[in-house]
Amino acid sequence: MKKIEVNEVFKEDWNRVLNHIANLFFEDSKIVMTADDAELSFRFQHSIDEDFTIHTACELLADGVQYKSNYSISYDTEGTEKEQGIRMKRALSHVMLDVLEQYTGMTQTWGILTGVRPTKLYHKYRKQGFTDEEVYAVLKKDYRISDSKIALMKEIVERQLMMIPDLDEIGNELSVYIGVPFCPTKCAYCTFPAYAIQSNRKAGRVESFIDGLHIEIRAMGKWLKENNMNITSVYWGGGTPTSIEADEMDALYKTMFESFPNPENIREITVEAGRPDTITPEKIEVLKKWGIDRISVNPQSYTDETLKAIGRHHTVQETIDKFWLSRNSGMNNINMDLIIGLPNEGIEEFQHSLDESAKMQPESLTVHTLSFKRASEMTHNKDKYKVADRETVTEMMDMASNWTRENGYVPYYLYRQKNILGNLENVGYCKPGEESIYNIVIMEEVQTILGIGCGASTKFVDPKTGKITQFHNPKDPAAYILTFEEAIEKKIKMLDELYK
């Protein structure tokens, strides 16, 4: 724990932002007003002129050395009280980041950004009429983002608009996420609603959950039909939705196609078959029966020892075998995931994963950087899991970027997470034309995502204002079984308020 002394009492949300900036440099930090054992001492100054210009300054005293930074930014309008707070937090972050970079010698390529969706910021300025050059200038000067990351953002935004030309109008439609909360086992890094299927099946929760899911799909489909609402994309996630039996999958897809309006106009349906140990010829036949050929077969790593360490009870060979089973059975759009920074993995192991990926050439490859999520087993037992240092994970991300370019892939979406190794990012790459519509619309928050099933979050996006409201279904199967009907009523009420 790195104790950081500041010279004034900031608002709670201001402190939180400054903590995020400090944590880009140190694993953990705590901001205090006074502390004899504080390792760093910050002195901030901040003011706003009558012409709406914000001035901030920061002095950092560390190890007997003083580091200084000053920053000013002008706005055309006074802004609301909330906007003023956001502006000031950003300006304070700017000077704090600057002095910490001076002190540590580290450069944060994402600048002051600590949020999940960097490309949403690029879209914001694009929709305001900024040219690419003007967007670059703002991201560089006011957010301190590096040239390489700005170039990545620009390339992704261009790719998204190529794939979805009506991206700015797509808010008049919505997409659907359907959550099936079961997996063979739970991975050590995972915080998704994922419950061991065998124990839940013995307890009768799997059948009861599926019964409730049929009812929820029908109820939400009825509202969508009655309100002539088009569906852009459907994503079956979880958990692992291929954990259930083939006949159970078949019945659910039948309900989906019968209940949803104009299913022939749905642009994309994805089934997250991420765990290779859940894929069978019978389940693939069910997918083919309903015309679903976009699935995931996720290796995460091609080292058996790593898979054991993170709790994935399948082998590397099983991943390879299930990929080719899927491919040879007619699955024409397969995504695979790799994770940078898994326990005990370095350059050699990640290069091996890339070499194995080259043999399969999936339509898309999502490269994640390991994140220590608060609720994960890995976070609770950090000493048990030795992970790569910042320089190594950065080199691995560069390896992934070079490999995808050499193999004909393009980046089309990215997102970031708190406590992500090396302050890096997760990037979705694909062969041109194979971009996932769902991944784009959920990351850019351009339309409502209607969540159905266990652990599913509904994100209501107002098509006029862009205002976002969320509603969460219960994560636990037992709780879902008891409350899904109440959740249906609440979501229908919120849909009525938004679209009627």
Side-chain angles (χ1 to χ4, degrees), residues 317-495:
Q317 190 58 49
E318 188 167 13
T319 300
I320 296 168
D321 291 344
K322 294 303 176 66
F323 173 87
W324 289 115
L325 171 66
S326 302
R327 172 69 83 226
N328 295 331
S329 299
M331 294 292 106
N332 297 316
N333 194 337
I334 301 176
N335 174 75
M336 304 188 91
D337 285 4
L338 295 177
I339 301 180
I340 287 173
L342 286 170
N344 303 313
E345 288 211 347
I347 300 298
E348 183 179 347
E349 290 80 8
F350 188 63
Q351 183 61 56
H352 176 63
S353 290
L354 293 174
D355 292 342
E356 290 299 313
S357 300
K359 297 173 185 176
M360 286 172 271
Q361 296 288 320
E363 279 66 35
S364 55
L365 183 76
T366 306
V367 181
H368 300 267
T369 307
L370 183 67
S371 171
F372 281 97
K373 301 171 185 175
R374 280 180 302 173
S376 73
E377 196 273 337
M378 192 175 286
T379 300
H380 292 165
N381 297 280
K382 273 191 176 182
D383 293 342
K384 179 180 168 185
Y385 299 96
K386 291 186 169 48
V387 299
D389 59 26
R390 183 187 185 98
E391 290 74 21
T392 302
V393 295
T394 300
E395 184 175 347
M396 292 157 82
M397 179 59 80
D398 290 340
M399 290 165 61
S401 178
N402 293 334
W403 182 92
T404 51
R405 191 178 304 109
E406 291 165 2
N407 283 269
Y409 293 83
V410 292
Y412 76 96
Y413 83 103
L414 74 84
Y415 67 102
R416 306 180 68 234
Q417 293 166 285
K418 295 287 189 293
N419 303 318
I420 195 168
L421 287 181
N423 190 29
L424 290 169
E425 62 275 344
N426 307 308
V427 183
Y429 297 93
C430 70
K431 301 285 189 178
E434 304 290 359
E435 295 83 355
S436 165
I437 292 170
Y438 178 85
N439 284 340
I440 294 172
V441 298
I442 193 170
M443 284 305 155
E444 305 310 333
E445 297 183 317
V446 291
Q447 64 173 188
T448 292
I449 306 291
L450 177 60
I452 298 174
C454 203
S457 295
T458 296
K459 185 172 287 187
F460 297 97
V461 180
D462 190 314
K464 297 184 183 69
T465 65
K467 180 183 177 183
I468 295 173
T469 310
Q470 296 196 55
F471 178 86
H472 305 281
N473 278 13
K475 289 186 176 182
D476 180 78
Y480 174 84
I481 292 162
L482 292 173
T483 62
F484 72 87
E485 290 173 318
E486 179 184 341
I488 291 170
E489 291 178 7
K490 287 182 179 178
K491 282 186 289 193
I492 287 177
K493 181 180 178 184
M494 295 174 81
L495 285 167

Side-chain angles (χ1 to χ4, degrees), residues 150-163:
I150 296 173
L152 177 62
M153 294 165 73
K154 178 176 181 289
E155 184 178 1
I156 287 172
V157 165
E158 289 174 347
R159 176 62 51 180
Q160 291 175 343
L161 291 167
M162 193 179 303
M163 183 63 184

Side-chain angles (χ1 to χ4, degrees), residues 21-210:
I21 295 297
N23 286 342
L24 298 178
F25 298 85
F26 315 112
E27 187 169 313
D28 199 11
S29 64
K30 182 179 180 181
I31 291 180
V32 296
M33 270 294 292
T34 55
D36 293 336
D37 58 344
E39 298 175 65
L40 304 174
S41 179
F42 288 85
R43 294 291 177 265
F44 289 100
Q45 296 177 25
H46 52 93
S47 62
I48 305 177
D49 289 348
E50 292 182 359
D51 64 351
F52 316 130
T53 297
I54 291 177
H55 303 280
T56 56
C58 182
E59 293 183 2
L60 165 62
L61 183 63
D63 304 327
V65 180
Q66 193 175 62
Y67 305 88
K68 295 182 179 181
S69 178
N70 295 278
Y71 174 69
S72 297
I73 182 170
S74 298
Y75 293 92
D76 294 332
T77 62
E78 182 179 9
T80 64
E81 185 176 348
K82 180 180 178 181
E83 287 171 334
Q84 290 175 15
I86 292 172
R87 292 170 178 176
M88 185 58 74
K89 284 185 288 188
R90 190 182 300 154
L92 289 169
S93 297
H94 194 288
V95 290
M96 185 179 192
L97 185 89
D98 190 4
V99 293
L100 282 171
E101 287 188 337
Q102 294 176 41
Y103 166 59
T104 63
M106 296 167 59
T107 299
Q108 300 295 342
T109 55
W110 282 108
I112 65 170
L113 291 190
T114 60
V116 172
R117 297 172 170 83
T119 46
K120 190 178 176 185
L121 185 64
Y122 201 108
H123 279 295
K124 170 190 166 184
Y125 289 113
R126 175 187 65 80
K127 288 190 277 191
Q128 289 178 4
F130 283 50
T131 65
D132 287 331
E133 291 74 19
E134 289 169 334
V135 175
Y136 169 85
V138 171
L139 298 180
K140 184 77 173 175
K141 180 177 183 295
D142 297 328
Y143 292 88
R144 299 180 64 90
I145 304 174
S146 70
D147 287 355
S148 63
K149 298 305 181 188
I150 296 173
L152 177 62
M153 294 165 73
K154 178 176 181 289
E155 184 178 1
I156 287 172
V157 165
E158 289 174 347
R159 176 62 51 180
Q160 291 175 343
L161 291 167
M162 193 179 303
M163 183 63 184
I164 313 175
D166 57 341
L167 188 68
D168 294 344
E169 292 79 44
I170 211 168
N172 296 316
E173 301 180 1
L174 55 72
S175 287
V176 180
Y177 175 88
I178 304 176
V180 178
F182 305 111
C183 275
T185 58
K186 184 148 183 151
C187 300
Y189 53 79
C190 180
T191 56
F192 288 106
Y195 299 85
I197 190 163
Q198 291 308 322
S199 58
N200 277 276
R201 191 162 304 270
K202 287 177 184 175
R205 295 194 194 99
V206 176
E207 292 79 3
S208 297
F209 162 75
I210 290 173

